[in-house]
Amino acid sequence: MELPQPSALTSYIEASKPTGIHAQESHHHALAAQVLHNLQYQHDWSQLQIHTQSPESGKTLPKPLVSGLPPQRIYVHPDEQIEMLKLNVQEKDVASEREWVLPTHLRETWSLRRFAEIFDAIDQVPPALDQAAGGEHNIHRGRIGSRRGGKRVLLATVGDDSTVVYYIVHDGIVKPRQN
C-alpha cells in the first residue's frame, strides 16, 4: 500500500526548510513558511519573504518574521483617517504598505518582554525586496499614505487545525480610531 502524496503546504514547508538548524529553529521556520503560504495563497499578499536576521542590527531574530505587501491597507492611523475624511479620500485609493508578520502557534505563551524583543529587533517598515518596487508609490501627497503610529506587527496565530488568525499589535499605545 502506497502512502498518499503530501499536501501542497507540506511540500512547500519541506522545500523551504533551511539546512543545519536545530529542531526548535526548524519548528519556527516551518511555522513562518506556513504563514507565508497562507498570506500568499489565501490572502493574495505579494513580495513575501522570511527574515531570520534583524534588519536593524544584523543579529539573529528571536523568531523568524515574515514581511510582505498586502493587497490593501491593513491599518489606517486615526490621524490619517481624519485627514482622509476631510479630503474625501477612500481607503482603497491609498497604496498598501509592507507589513511585518509574527508567526506564532496558539499554544505559545507571549509576554510584554517577548513582544519588546521583537519590536527592538525590527525597523518600523520592513525592507523592500526590490527598492524600486518599495519606494513611495502613493497617489496622494502629504501625510496620507506615510507610515504613522510607530512599529507594528501582524500577529499570525496558527491553530492545531492550521487555521490562521491575524491581530494587529503595536509597540506602545495608539489612540483609538474614530467611528
Side-chain angles (χ1 to χ4, degrees):
M1 181 169 186
E2 206 174 300
L3 292 175
Q5 292 294 319
S7 71
L9 177 59
T10 301
S11 299
Y12 177 78
I13 291 170
E14 285 300 316
S16 70
K17 191 183 299 183
T19 57
I21 60 174
H22 300 353
Q24 183 69 14
E25 292 171 347
S26 177
H27 167 73
H28 289 311
H29 195 277
L31 193 60
Q34 181 176 354
V35 168
L36 185 145
H37 188 273
N38 180 265
L39 290 168
Q40 183 175 8
Y41 294 106
Q42 298 296 316
H43 299 286
D44 297 326
W45 282 43
S46 60
Q47 300 180 25
L48 289 159
Q49 108 184 72
I50 295 175
H51 300 266
T52 56
Q53 292 186 326
S54 168
E56 183 120 332
S57 66
K59 294 180 181 176
T60 301
L61 289 168
K63 285 188 67 147
L65 294 173
V66 175
S67 71
L69 188 64
Q72 61 194 28
R73 291 284 290 274
I74 298 297
Y75 174 76
V76 177
H77 189 274
D79 292 339
E80 185 177 13
Q81 181 185 28
I82 291 168
E83 288 178 31
M84 289 171 62
L85 289 170
K86 287 179 184 175
L87 297 171
N88 200 23
V89 175
Q90 302 295 315
E91 278 189 49
K92 64 181 173 60
D93 295 331
V94 179
S96 64
E97 304 170 306
R98 286 188 64 76
E99 297 287 345
W100 287 111
V101 183
L102 173 58
T104 63
H105 190 274
L106 185 60
R107 295 181 188 191
E108 284 183 65
T109 303
W110 280 85
S111 65
L112 291 176
R113 176 174 290 172
R114 284 190 69 196
F115 280 117
E117 289 172 357
I118 296 292
F119 283 119
D120 288 345
I122 62 173
D123 294 325
Q124 186 169 346
V125 179
L129 287 177
D130 175 6
Q131 290 300 56
E136 274 301 315
H137 58 282
N138 206 332
I139 63 171
H140 295 284
R141 299 191 186 279
R143 301 249 5 224
I144 294 179
S146 61
R147 188 85 169 221
R148 298 188 202 181
K151 296 178 184 179
R152 66 175 179 259
V153 296
L154 200 59
L155 180 68
T157 304
V158 180
D160 290 334
D161 63 353
S162 296
T163 302
V164 184
V165 295
Y166 298 92
Y167 299 93
I168 296 172
V169 179
H170 291 269
D171 182 20
I173 298 173
V174 177
K175 70 183 197 181
R177 289 180 58 137
Q178 302 293 316
N179 287 332

